[in-house]
Amino acid sequence: ERAARHEPRSHRDPGHWRVPMSARHRAIVETVNDAMRRMDIEGFLAYCTDDFVWTMVGETPIRGKDALRKMMADGPSEAPSFSVHTMAAEGDIVVAQGAMTMKEGGADVPYAFCDVWRFRGDMLVALDAFVVKTGHASRAAAAGGSSR
């Protein structure tokens, strides 16, 4: 009955409404994606457990918040541009599929991705990221011109 009235879960967390877990998890993934678009690593990490593991499939997993901070500091200075085309959530899993571009040698290079996010409660515990290059930088962009 309380859930049907959308009352808060507790007074300790007044903004946490009783909504289905899958809907909460989708909203969290949307929030962390927005943080990544802004290159706000602390905004991203606020939703991660201390033992969070980020795996770019085919590469060595990055374990823990400190390792993620280092990866982000050592990575590109510009965030990738990306959009999510499909998102599905069930239980402790959210899957997001979409497209992105990343800078390589000053040119935008297109990729497709599928992210599998795992939760423990309302905290992210793991990300398995499948990323595939789908094309090459346009010659105009590679030469410093416009690709339009």
Side-chain angles (χ1 to χ4, degrees), residues 24-127:
R24 287 196 321 263
H25 290 169
R26 283 176 61 108
I28 290 168
V29 168
E30 290 168 356
T31 299
V32 298
N33 278 341
D34 286 341
M36 295 305 287
R37 284 182 186 99
R38 296 187 314 272
M39 293 190 72
D40 177 5
I41 186 63
E42 295 305 319
F44 170 79
L45 292 175
Y47 291 90
C48 298
T49 60
D50 289 336
D51 60 345
F52 181 83
V53 178
W54 181 330
T55 303
M56 295 286 289
V57 174
E59 298 183 18
T60 303
I62 299 158
R63 300 177 185 280
K65 289 183 175 183
D66 288 337
L68 282 167
R69 283 183 186 99
K70 181 173 177 3
M71 176 196 76
M72 297 301 286
D74 294 344
S77 61
E78 189 174 323
S81 173
F82 66 94
S83 59
V84 174
H85 302 288
T86 304
M87 188 179 293
E90 184 170 331
D92 292 338
I93 304 289
V94 174
V95 177
Q97 174 272 325
M100 69 178 177
T101 57
M102 294 186 0
K103 292 283 186 191
E104 292 181 14
D108 289 336
V109 179
Y111 289 83
F113 69 88
C114 184
D115 290 340
V116 180
W117 299 90
R118 283 180 283 165
F119 284 82
R120 184 182 310 134
D122 282 339
M123 298 295 289
L124 291 163
V125 68
L127 167 61

